[in-house]
Amino acid sequence: VPVFILAGLLVHCVFLVSIFDIYFSSPLVHGMTPQQTPLPPPAKRLVLFVADGLRADSLYELNSNGTPRAPYLRGILENNGSWGISHTRVPTESRPGHVALTAGFYEDVSAVAKGWKENPVEFDSVFNESKYTWSWGSPDILPMFAKGATGDHVYTFCYTAESEDFGAQDAAKLDMWVFDHVKSFFNSSRSNQTLFSALNEEKVVLFLHLLGIDTNGHAHRPHSREYRENIKKVDEGIKEIASVIDNFYGNDGKTAFILTSDHGMTDWGSHGAGHPSETLTPLIVWGAGVNYPQKVTSQFFGDNFLQEWKLENLKRLDVNQADIAPLMASLIGVPFPLNSVGTLPLEYLNNSAHFKAESMFTNAVQILEQFKVKMSQKKETTLSFLFTPFKPLSDSEQINFLKKTRLYIQQQKYDEAVSLCKTLINLSLEGLSYYHTYDRLFLGLSIAMGFVGWTTYVILVIIKTHTNLTKTVQTNNKESTVLFYGFAFVGMMIAFFLLIQTCPWTYYIYCLLPVPVWYAVLRELPVIQDLATNVLSLHIGQSIGFFLVCTLGIEILVFSFFYRSTLTIGLLVFSGWPVVTQLWVQAKTRALIWTLLCVFLAIFPLMPVVGREPNIPLVIATGLLTLLISCFSLTSLCKSENKYRNNEDLKVHFYQMLNIALSTYVVSSTHDSLKNKQGLPVLNQIVSWMTLVSSSVLPLLSPTFLFQRLFSILLSLMSTYLLLSTGYEALFPLVLSGLMFVWINMEQEALQLYGLSRKSKLALFNFAYATDITRFRQLHLDDVRRSYFFVFFIVTAFFGTGNIASVNSFDPASVYCFLTVFSPFIMGGLLVLKVVIPFVLVSCAFEAVQVTTQLSSKSLFLIVLVISDIMALHFFFLVKDYGSWLDIGTSISQYVLVMSLTIFMMLMNGLAQLLTTQRLELSRRTKHHSM
């Protein structure tokens, strides 16, 4: 068994990691030569303002009385500069946004796994190419640019990480800090000769990172007074800084200014996914070398923003976020960042047609350079007769493009030169993508082969060891030796083939994995033959019916990852289960409660995703309801003439009830305190953390009788869950565990219905004595349904209150009882805990079902494994790396979820066994002392 479990874990880890190699390896290449426009630039210095978390509509919209939200910036775009919308990509987080702005490339998704603070890949940025860069702002963002820079010319000034507090009086003070420091920096430079001369150099960048808007958006939502007032303060700050800088340089007209944002924010104060409110950010550019506002009579965009913002008559110039990097490079005349894939937005430039054509040519050559490096890398690692080059950009085509463009520039046909450059850029980007995904089909097929083989093998193991379908057959030694050598030969051929092509070591794992897996399958040939004989002897209609029901069941699970409402349909079907199987005849009350709870639980997937609308009174009501239920359970416990009951157990029960009452109070008082801007009370914080710690220990002190232990687990987890709730989701674990209690009873009835067991009293059932190995029975067809119920309930626990597959369905407000200062890892950990709690409840119930139905946990678990592996294979082919970034992010997280579900269920199985069977004995010892 341990070997099998280890092999299973290993295989699943390989499947899980494989998608990052197949779909999401880093697109960056190194070894290009820097490209720079040969003509003198219009600006000597550039000031970049990044208002973190600022939405385009929040800035451009007018107030209800018709006045602009940011009067200074509105004046700029109406009289002095150019404006538009910058379209960002997912993940809409701060680091990828800043990398796109300053380095011109979009971070690949694999970077997400490397943490949000540091940049995992070496990259070149506008800051690195500048003569000097001074930057002010958040300690989360600035250090990564200083760290990536060569030499010592990027200077950073940050405030402390503790300042980023969601519960603070006002986060706009973060922006005030930046503005004040910039002003004092310029004042002090007058008396510091070295600094003064450095500031007067060319190719200087000043970067102001303004985090206040983002922090206020998280804490109070983007439509709040705080968020809007912060925008006004930033507007006033930018006005001051612009005038300080112009005065310092004696209004020499050589400064370019850019204001933009790294990402937007949803109406409920989160970001990370691809909703338009997160991907549309403002861009306003003014100063040296920038076009003045262009008046137009009509312009067409697919949205109605121009009318809403009263900007129909000013030309709107939209760009992709990565296009801002080449724009900055062109304005101050530094080389374009090496890995940039942005296209220079010419309409922003106020310069000669010659300058624009030369800049565009530089842009095209810089992207073509990356294509050439990528192609030569692929060529080196592929056998020449297997290499298929990217046809539209063969060597001759490249030379042809470059010659033609040069000729057009010499003949002063600048427009033709620009359009040729744009074609070349698009082809180079297509070619980069072509070589980047070169090995995808080959690796995908290898993994799929491994998947199918593994699932087949697990099915054979189930049939061979846990059912009576097959006779034990002696294996023929001669045949198995031939088989072994055959597969060894195939493995060596594959390895040799990969060796010639100098493939990465991970390729060996993906391509060689199917070999031992299929060898294990073919060794079980006698089992396959037995199975075939058995299936053929059945009625054909029965076999097809069973197959169709299984397929439909798995498809419902797969669909539920895309549409939560599918779970509602599944639960409504479940509610009819007792009627279909005649169970209701022998247990009318239980069947009725089962149906009612199924219908009640079916409402949750239809509700909007959690975190959109906080509803604290509902959380408090749930706390009181839990207390009421535990009072009933306590009275029934006291009434029962149970000779095993003692006072220690009642003490534990009381203590858990106290915990629930405390949690309810803490939730209520914390949210009131934050509403009044008094921060998080320290006492509440201490109580919250103590509740969290005690909730993992308390169940172990309660008796191991079936319902007493399960109820104790529910109370403990519920006290923590209440602290992490902000709305209707607080009710979810309560309803779910109600259904789980009934499920355990119903399974007992089902056993008697099929005559597999005699009636036993569940109330007296004790987890501690349940693992008697001799009483295990063989699998029955009904056990497939049992396992399916478990997988379905697990998926319901995941998606019942929101799509966990998307980062932005998390609301930071749910962790405010524990902390309000931004700390991604602690916050992330608490959110994961919130997701895991319903999961633990289902796992413990499943553990109870296993022991009461006398099945070994291994046999049921293997069926669960088959179901989730078939689901995972679906998602493997549904992984996307194109289209809207929301689709990409969701497709990865769905595959990762199903794969980790399997690995996770192994862990959960262990945790459930620990929670249900172990008991800490504190009472006995104390009794001895009291004697």
Side-chain angles (χ1 to χ4, degrees):
V1 177
V3 178
F4 181 77
I5 288 177
L6 277 176
L9 269 173
L10 191 71
V11 168
H12 282 95
C13 288
V14 171
F15 289 159
L16 181 57
V17 176
S18 69
I19 65 154
F20 290 104
D21 250 356
I22 296 174
Y23 292 98
F24 305 106
S25 47
S26 173
L28 296 195
V29 285
H30 300 289
M32 289 78 64
T33 43
Q35 303 295 322
Q36 186 171 351
T37 311
L39 301 177
K44 280 186 167 183
R45 65 202 74 88
L46 174 100
V47 185
L48 172 65
F49 300 99
V50 177
D52 204 303
L54 174 61
R55 290 160 51 143
D57 56 349
S58 300
L59 180 70
Y60 294 137
E61 251 171 15
L62 298 172
N63 288 320
S64 46
N65 58 4
T67 56
R69 295 229 172 124
Y72 174 72
L73 290 169
R74 183 77 175 200
I76 291 278
L77 71 88
E78 285 176 356
N79 310 310
N80 306 51
S82 295
W83 75 284
I85 289 178
S86 156
H87 297 262
T88 72
R89 284 211 195 166
V90 172
T92 44
E93 297 288 348
S94 291
R95 192 187 71 198
H98 281 87
V99 169
L101 281 173
T102 60
F105 71 89
Y106 302 103
E107 270 193 323
D108 57 299
V109 186
S110 65
V112 176
K114 315 253 176 40
W116 286 114
K117 295 286 178 87
E118 288 294 338
N119 195 62
V121 278
E122 285 299 314
F123 69 96
D124 184 30
S125 70
V126 174
F127 300 158
N128 189 29
E129 295 290 358
S130 70
K131 184 83 187 268
Y132 292 107
T133 295
W134 285 276
S135 55
W136 294 266
S138 157
D140 295 340
I141 295 299
L142 304 187
M144 72 178 184
F145 293 108
K147 186 181 173 227
T150 49
D152 186 19
H153 63 276
V154 178
Y155 304 101
T156 57
F157 305 95
C158 311
Y159 37 76
T160 60
E162 288 72 44
S163 316
E164 301 171 28
D165 187 347
F166 294 141
Q169 287 84 358
D170 188 13
K173 65 174 194 288
L174 299 176
D175 299 342
M176 297 301 106
W177 185 97
V178 170
F179 294 136
D180 294 343
H181 275 70
V182 175
K183 284 183 275 190
S184 64
F185 172 78
F186 275 100
N187 288 336
S188 67
S189 72
R190 295 183 193 279
S191 57
N192 177 342
Q193 193 49 51
T194 330
L195 182 56
F196 186 80
S197 56
L199 276 168
N200 279 290
E201 293 271 4
E202 293 186 349
K203 303 179 183 178
V204 164
V205 178
L206 301 166
F207 169 40
L208 284 71
H209 176 244
L210 310 166
L211 187 67
I213 295 178
D214 183 66
T215 311
N216 266 325
H218 284 308
H220 306 287
R221 313 279 185 269
H223 291 300
S224 62
R225 187 177 50 82
E226 288 85 355
Y227 189 82
R228 288 177 185 165
E229 280 181 4
N230 203 155
I231 293 176
K232 200 157 177 271
K233 283 182 181 165
V234 163
D235 181 61
E236 290 159 6
I238 290 176
K239 182 181 178 180
E240 272 185 68
I241 297 297
S243 97
V244 164
I245 290 174
D246 284 341
N247 291 339
F248 182 84
Y249 290 109
N251 290 339
D252 65 351
K254 287 286 184 186
T255 313
F257 295 91
I258 294 183
L259 165 96
T260 183
S261 167
D262 53 350
H263 54 76
M265 188 171 281
T266 55
D267 289 347
W268 51 95
S270 70
H271 53 83
H275 190 272
S277 60
E278 297 164 272
T279 58
L280 303 182
T281 59
L283 174 64
I284 302 176
V285 189
W286 71 101
V290 180
N291 247 337
Y292 287 104
Q294 300 163 57
K295 296 275 189 287
V296 284
T297 45
S298 69
Q299 43 182 340
F300 177 73
F301 283 93
D303 47 48
N304 302 322
F305 292 142
L306 290 167
Q307 290 75 21
E308 288 170 25
W309 301 339
K310 306 274 186 290
L311 288 169
E312 305 97 319
N313 305 326
L314 289 173
K315 189 160 191 191
R316 165 177 152 189
L317 307 170
D318 282 18
V319 300
N320 288 323
Q321 196 173 36
D323 301 343
I324 298 174
L327 174 64
M328 294 195 285
S330 165
L331 285 171
I332 54 171
V334 298
F336 285 40
L338 292 174
N339 291 108
S340 166
V341 293
T343 309
L344 179 63
L346 290 179
E347 290 175 298
Y348 276 90
L349 298 181
N350 175 16
N351 216 314
S352 65
H354 183 202
F355 180 85
K356 289 182 180 179
E358 281 288 3
S359 298
M360 212 56 205
F361 184 63
T362 308
N363 195 177
V365 171
Q366 169 260 326
I367 294 179
L368 182 64
E369 277 283 316
Q370 295 180 65
F371 167 79
K372 285 157 120 176
V373 171
K374 194 86 175 171
M375 182 173 90
S376 65
Q377 281 180 359
K378 197 83 270 154
K379 216 170 182 172
E380 281 166 18
T381 58
T382 312
L383 295 172
S384 51
F385 63 91
L386 289 174
F387 182 71
T388 30
F390 181 63
K391 296 281 189 319
L393 268 189
S394 60
D395 294 349
S396 55
E397 282 291 323
Q398 290 176 31
I399 296 166
N400 193 9
F401 265 113
L402 298 175
K403 269 188 182 161
K404 246 185 185 169
T405 314
R406 263 278 149 252
L407 192 65
Y408 279 144
I409 291 176
Q410 279 160 8
Q411 296 170 346
Q412 301 190 353
K413 296 182 176 171
Y414 298 127
D415 291 348
E416 289 89 334
V418 166
S419 74
L420 250 189
C421 288
K422 285 185 174 165
T423 315
L424 180 56
I425 287 175
N426 291 332
L427 284 175
S428 303
L429 291 174
E430 272 177 44
L432 271 171
S433 159
Y434 170 81
Y435 285 120
H436 187 56
T437 59
Y438 194 81
D439 295 329
R440 182 166 299 174
L441 182 70
F442 156 66
L443 290 176
L445 286 174
S446 291
I447 292 290
M449 289 271 294
F451 249 122
V452 175
W454 166 255
T455 313
T456 316
Y457 178 63
V458 177
I459 293 174
L460 291 176
V461 168
I462 295 172
I463 287 164
K464 186 177 166 187
T465 55
H466 297 281
T467 64
N468 307 324
L469 290 179
T470 60
K471 305 178 284 295
T472 48
V473 192
Q474 285 298 315
T475 49
N476 183 337
N477 280 346
K478 195 177 175 190
E479 274 178 26
S480 63
T481 320
V482 172
L483 200 63
F484 177 76
Y485 284 117
F487 272 94
F489 178 70
V490 173
M492 280 157 70
M493 287 301 292
I494 294 174
F496 178 66
F497 181 68
L498 293 173
L499 192 68
I500 300 175
Q501 302 199 57
T502 57
C503 290
W505 63 273
T506 45
Y507 283 31
Y508 289 85
I509 298 176
Y510 305 143
C511 300
L512 290 172
L513 183 69
V515 177
V517 172
W518 279 101
Y519 168 65
V521 169
L522 290 180
R523 276 186 60 190
E524 305 296 344
L525 205 59
V527 181
I528 301 174
Q529 288 163 344
D530 270 6
L531 182 65
T533 327
N534 267 320
V535 170
L536 292 174
S537 66
L538 287 173
H539 188 259
I540 190 118
Q542 272 180 327
S543 308
I544 294 173
F546 178 69
F547 183 72
L548 282 177
V549 168
C550 287
T551 314
L552 183 71
I554 287 176
E555 291 309 315
I556 282 186
L557 284 176
V558 171
F559 262 88
S560 69
F561 277 71
F562 297 98
Y563 311 103
R564 283 170 57 213
S565 49
T566 320
L567 291 172
T568 304
I569 299 167
L571 284 164
L572 292 176
V573 172
F574 279 10
S575 67
W577 167 57
V579 182
V580 178
T581 53
Q582 300 294 307
L583 267 176
W584 65 281
V585 180
Q586 65 189 50
K588 286 196 174 54
T589 345
R590 284 176 187 177
L592 185 66
I593 298 174
W594 165 268
T595 306
L596 285 174
L597 282 172
C598 278
V599 172
F600 195 21
L601 192 63
I603 298 170
F604 283 95
L606 297 176
M607 305 279 277
V609 172
V610 166
R612 307 282 162 101
E613 292 302 320
N615 187 343
I616 301 302
L618 190 59
V619 180
I620 295 165
T622 308
L624 298 174
L625 178 66
T626 314
L627 273 178
L628 192 70
I629 294 171
S630 48
C631 287
F632 274 123
S633 124
L634 190 66
T635 48
S636 68
L637 192 69
C638 293
K639 278 181 192 164
S640 69
E641 291 300 312
N642 187 347
K643 60 177 183 295
Y644 301 112
R645 177 172 62 79
N646 64 26
N647 293 342
E648 295 298 325
D649 301 345
L650 293 184
K651 273 185 201 165
V652 173
H653 198 98
F654 270 127
Y655 188 64
Q656 288 183 311
M657 283 169 67
L658 180 70
N659 257 356
I660 296 273
L662 271 176
S663 296
T664 312
Y665 166 73
V666 167
V667 169
S668 148
S669 78
T670 300
H671 285 273
D672 281 348
S673 165
L674 290 174
K675 217 180 207 167
N676 304 330
K677 301 213 171 151
Q678 291 163 346
L680 168 63
V682 178
L683 185 67
N684 288 10
Q685 198 173 6
I686 294 169
V687 170
S688 298
W689 284 105
M690 280 174 65
T691 306
L692 177 66
V693 174
S694 67
S695 67
S696 53
V697 181
L698 281 173
L700 298 176
L701 297 173
S702 65
T704 48
F705 292 109
L706 187 94
F707 287 116
Q708 275 174 282
R709 176 52 70 96
L710 289 180
F711 192 68
S712 172
I713 292 171
L714 167 68
L715 283 187
S716 283
L717 295 178
M718 199 63 198
S719 57
T720 307
Y721 201 83
L722 284 171
L723 292 172
L724 291 168
S725 298
T726 57
Y728 72 87
E729 82 270 23
L731 270 168
F732 181 68
L734 213 53
V735 179
L736 183 67
S737 47
L739 186 62
M740 294 296 100
F741 282 130
V742 187
W743 181 38
I744 297 168
N745 280 306
M746 292 297 284
E747 288 297 2
Q748 209 43 33
E749 301 291 344
L751 272 185
Q752 286 145 40
L753 185 73
Y754 290 108
L756 294 173
S757 154
R758 58 189 188 288
K759 182 123 180 154
S760 63
K761 209 163 180 198
L762 279 181
L764 297 175
F765 193 89
N766 195 327
F767 277 120
Y769 311 122
T771 48
D772 175 13
I773 204 93
T774 53
R775 290 170 48 214
F776 287 151
R777 57 183 180 80
Q778 292 285 51
L779 283 171
H780 180 264
L781 205 54
D782 194 40
D783 294 321
V784 177
R785 175 202 51 78
R786 219 159 258 142
S787 305
Y788 179 75
F789 270 25
F790 172 57
V791 179
F792 190 90
F793 287 136
I794 282 285
V795 174
T796 308
F798 248 159
F799 291 108
T801 59
N803 175 7
I804 179 207
S806 151
V807 186
N808 81 344
S809 53
F810 284 143
D811 177 15
S814 53
V815 298
Y816 285 172
C817 289
F818 293 90
L819 76 166
T820 54
V821 175
F822 181 65
S823 161
F825 292 106
I826 298 181
M827 285 182 168
L830 288 167
L831 291 169
V832 168
L833 178 72
K834 184 177 176 178
V835 173
V836 167
I837 285 175
F839 215 66
V840 175
L841 292 171
V842 175
S843 297
C844 289
F846 188 56
E847 179 67 22
V849 168
Q850 282 173 11
V851 292
T852 54
T853 56
Q854 297 160 2
L855 269 177
S856 76
S857 56
K858 185 187 164 196
S859 52
L860 274 190
F861 186 73
L862 288 176
I863 304 178
V864 170
L865 199 63
V866 172
I867 296 173
S868 51
D869 277 346
I870 297 171
M871 282 166 66
L873 191 59
H874 275 77
F875 289 116
F876 180 76
F877 288 109
L878 292 172
V879 171
K880 290 191 185 127
D881 68 336
Y882 57 88
S884 109
W885 265 85
L886 178 62
D887 304 342
I888 297 176
T890 315
S891 71
I892 303 172
S893 44
Q894 282 163 347
Y895 178 71
V896 170
L897 265 176
V898 179
M899 288 310 298
S900 35
L901 206 65
T902 324
I903 298 170
F904 206 50
M905 281 193 231
M906 293 187 183
L907 297 173
M908 277 294 148
N909 209 10
L911 180 67
Q913 273 181 354
L914 176 86
L915 277 175
T916 50
T917 55
Q918 297 306 314
R919 183 159 190 202
L920 296 174
E921 298 287 356
L922 297 181
S923 48
R924 303 264 171 86
R925 247 174 259 156
T926 48
K927 275 180 188 163
H928 286 307
H929 292 306
S930 58
M931 283 172 177

